[in-house]
């Protein structure tokens, strides 16, 4: 009985007899005599990885076939292998793994890298290798890419141990063996709003205080290692400082001496903060919020104070006017000429008014009306 096998150009045929690999068939038509039906054929694509149990059998039982058709990539501990196909990095093989790559239709090269000695990739290697696919896709990516912004500082940890401090840019690390973690810190002054705190003053008045601060990282390494979260650490210190500053003062002292309160809070926070790579550049009380009944009461007090001030000013003006009249009367009493001048001044005013009345009289008003108006006219001053 004849059996015909046809192999396409991009395929290779695995000829199997009684469960054993006999040979690898090239593209074309192949005819075999098989009276007992013992021959079988497995067609496989001869490109990329050869992920089949037959690959290992071919390497061990048929080394000549393996050497002809496959590139065997076996990686030891502390190393990684980059498989380039037609000049492009395509696969990354991890330590302890063995991969088989078809080399019949493509140019295959293998580059080994010692990741223990060179854990960080150069920029050229990062561009060339970052799109390569790990042969075992179930594991984490073999390359950890770290991007640091233009205002940031990056920190790289291997198994939680700090190994590198990075400037702005793009970096790559071999994630082979140790777990690579990263952290970036913004080096600009950042606003930190401390929300309203319920505080009881020295005179037992409950109020709420809101603060605004600006925090800047001066040393990324210290800030990352000293506290898990430096912003939360500063936030707690500000809370304690504002309670100490406000709780030791009366309401009037808090409202009337905000600069002293701010200075005490800033000094307390900076003293307790210490040298952890973080600086508080600005800090101050933004709002002091009183309960509704207390606001109403203070408004009444302010209104009463302003009313009293207005009354005092009015009384001072009245006293000054009375004193001026008294001084004028004394001068007239001691100086008859001055009294005569006052009388002439009054008479002049009366004459001016009479002149205005004459205008009305000439327009047809009777003499009696003119006399009545003159009699009712009273000189001022």
């Amino acid at each position: 009985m004849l059996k015909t096998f046809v192999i396409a150009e991009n395929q290779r045929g695995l000829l199997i007899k009684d469960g054993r690999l006999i040979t690898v068939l090239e593209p074309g038509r192949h005819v075999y005599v098989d009276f007992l039906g013992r021959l079988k054929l497995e067609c496989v694509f001869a490109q990329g990885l050869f992920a089949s149990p037959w690959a290992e059998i071919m390497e061990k039982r048929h080394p000549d076939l393996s050497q002809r058709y496959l590139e065997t990539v076996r990686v030891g501990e502390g190393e990684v292998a980059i498989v380039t196909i037609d000049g492009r990095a395509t696969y990354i093989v991890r330590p302890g793994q063995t991969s088989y790559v078809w080399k019949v239709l493509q140019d295959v090269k293998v580059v080994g890298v010692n990741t223990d000695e060179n854990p960080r990739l150069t920029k050229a290697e990062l561009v060339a290798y970052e799109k390569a696919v790990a042969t075992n896709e179930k594991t984490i990516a073999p390359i950890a890419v770290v991007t640091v912004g233009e205002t940031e500082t990056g920190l790289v940890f291997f198994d939680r141990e700090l190994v590198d401090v990075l400037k702005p840019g793009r970096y790559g690390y071999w994630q082979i063996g140790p777990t690579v973690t990263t952290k970036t810190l913004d080096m600009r002054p950042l606003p930190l709003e401390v929300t309203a705190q319920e505080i009881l003053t020295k005179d037992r008045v409950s109020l709420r205080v809101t603060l605004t601060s600006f925090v800047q990282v001066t040393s990324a390494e210290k800030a990352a290692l000293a506290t898990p979260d430096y912003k939360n650490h500063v936030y707690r210190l500000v809370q304690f400082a504002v309670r100490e500053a406000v709780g030791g003062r009366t309401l009037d002292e808090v409202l009337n001496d905000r600069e002293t309160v701010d200075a005490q809070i800033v000094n307390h926070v900076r003293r307790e903060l210490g040298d952890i790579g973080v600086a508080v550049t600005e800090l101050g009380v933004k709002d002091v919020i009183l309960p509704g009944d207390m606001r109403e009461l203070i408004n009444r007090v302010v209104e009463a104070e302003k009313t009293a001030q207005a009354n005092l000013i009015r009384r001072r003006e009245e006293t000054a006017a009375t004193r001026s009249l008294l001084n004028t009367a004394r001068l007239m009493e001691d100086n008859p000429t001055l009294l005569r001048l006052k009388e002439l001044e009054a008479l002049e005013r009366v004459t001016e008014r009479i002149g205005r009345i004459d205008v009305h009289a000439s327009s047809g008003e009777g003499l009696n009306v003119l006399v009545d108006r003159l009699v009712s006219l009273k000189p001022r001053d």
Side-chain angles (χ1 to χ4, degrees):
M1 181 179 180
L2 298 179
K3 281 188 177 180
T4 301
F5 304 114
V6 178
I7 310 300
E9 188 67 30
N10 62 344
Q11 295 178 336
R12 292 296 182 271
L14 303 181
L15 186 62
I16 301 170
K17 183 178 181 180
D18 296 333
R20 295 183 298 109
L21 179 65
I22 302 301
T23 187
V24 177
L25 302 182
E26 295 285 338
R29 181 183 294 272
H30 303 269
V31 180
Y32 289 91
V33 178
D34 184 18
F35 293 104
L36 300 179
R38 300 168 63 186
L39 294 177
K40 290 175 57 178
L41 181 71
E42 288 189 14
C43 288
V44 295
F45 287 99
Q47 290 178 322
L49 292 176
F50 183 29
S52 170
W54 291 112
E56 186 176 357
I57 294 174
M58 187 184 299
E59 180 192 11
K60 293 180 178 180
R61 303 294 300 273
H62 304 278
D64 54 336
L65 294 177
S66 177
Q67 184 177 4
R68 179 180 177 183
Y69 292 104
L70 302 176
E71 181 72 37
T72 302
V73 183
R74 184 171 284 106
V75 184
E77 293 298 327
E79 296 180 347
V80 66
I82 299 94
V83 180
T84 62
I85 297 178
D86 295 334
R88 183 174 63 88
T90 306
Y91 302 106
I92 295 178
V93 185
R94 294 174 176 274
Q97 295 181 351
T98 301
S99 298
Y100 303 94
V101 185
W102 288 103
K103 63 179 182 180
V104 292
L105 299 176
Q106 50 203 4
D107 181 25
V108 178
K109 293 183 179 179
V110 179
V111 178
V113 177
N114 189 322
T115 57
D116 291 340
E117 297 179 358
N118 304 285
R120 177 170 163 180
L121 285 77
T122 64
K123 290 186 177 181
E125 290 174 339
L126 178 60
V127 172
Y129 301 160
E130 67 174 327
K131 294 183 179 179
V133 179
T135 54
N136 187 354
E137 297 181 354
K138 295 182 180 180
T139 59
I140 59 177
I143 296 177
V145 179
V146 183
T147 302
V148 182
E150 59 182 5
T151 62
E152 298 176 333
T153 295
L155 303 173
V156 180
F157 300 86
F158 282 7
D159 292 334
R160 298 184 179 183
E161 179 185 357
L162 180 64
V163 295
D164 210 350
V165 180
L166 305 178
K167 296 180 179 180
R170 197 165 181 269
Y171 306 87
Y173 290 85
W174 288 112
Q175 200 163 217
I176 305 297
T179 301
V180 180
T181 56
T182 62
K183 186 175 184 179
T184 57
L185 299 177
D186 198 324
M187 305 301 289
R188 296 173 297 180
L190 301 177
L192 180 64
E193 292 286 339
V194 181
T195 56
Q197 306 292 310
E198 293 283 349
I199 303 175
L200 198 64
T201 62
K202 189 176 182 180
D203 51 354
R204 316 298 293 177
V205 176
S206 177
L207 51 81
R208 299 170 63 190
V209 179
T210 303
L211 299 97
T212 299
S213 63
F214 285 86
V215 183
Q216 184 175 14
V217 176
T218 56
S219 173
E221 183 175 353
K222 290 182 179 180
L225 299 179
T227 61
D229 185 351
Y230 73 88
K231 288 186 178 180
N232 186 59
H233 183 68
V234 174
Y235 188 95
R236 299 302 178 191
L237 288 179
V238 173
Q239 283 185 318
F240 293 140
V242 70
R243 289 185 180 277
E244 179 179 337
V246 175
R249 287 178 169 83
T250 63
L251 177 61
D252 290 340
E253 291 174 344
V254 173
L255 297 178
N256 298 329
D257 198 4
R258 293 274 290 272
E259 293 183 358
T260 304
V261 175
D262 290 347
Q264 181 178 344
I265 296 173
V266 170
N267 293 334
H268 180 277
V269 171
R270 289 176 177 172
R271 182 178 65 254
E272 296 298 327
L273 195 60
D275 185 18
I276 65 169
V278 178
V280 178
T281 58
E282 299 289 340
L283 177 60
V285 176
K286 180 180 178 182
D287 295 310
V288 177
I289 305 171
L290 298 171
D293 53 349
M294 182 57 65
R295 288 200 302 269
E296 183 179 354
L297 181 59
I298 291 178
N299 289 336
R300 291 178 183 176
V301 171
V302 172
E303 182 180 358
E305 290 178 351
K306 297 302 180 183
T307 302
Q309 292 177 3
N311 293 334
L312 179 60
I313 293 172
R314 186 166 55 252
R315 286 194 297 269
R316 288 176 178 173
E317 291 177 350
E318 292 175 353
T319 301
T322 304
R323 186 179 295 110
S324 177
L325 290 174
L326 180 59
N327 292 335
T328 302
R330 289 176 178 175
L331 289 173
M332 290 181 180
E333 182 180 1
D334 297 337
N335 194 341
T337 303
L338 181 60
L339 177 60
R340 181 57 180 166
L341 288 174
K342 281 291 185 180
E343 291 176 354
L344 291 175
E345 182 181 351
L347 181 59
E348 184 179 357
R349 292 180 181 175
V350 172
T351 303
E352 291 178 359
R353 294 190 182 185
I354 291 174
R356 289 196 294 269
I357 293 174
D358 286 342
V359 174
H360 294 285
S362 62
S363 62
E365 292 185 2
L367 182 59
N368 293 332
V369 176
L370 179 60
V371 173
D372 292 339
R373 293 192 177 185
L374 184 58
V375 172
S376 62
L377 186 63
K378 297 179 179 180
R380 299 180 181 175
D381 300 331

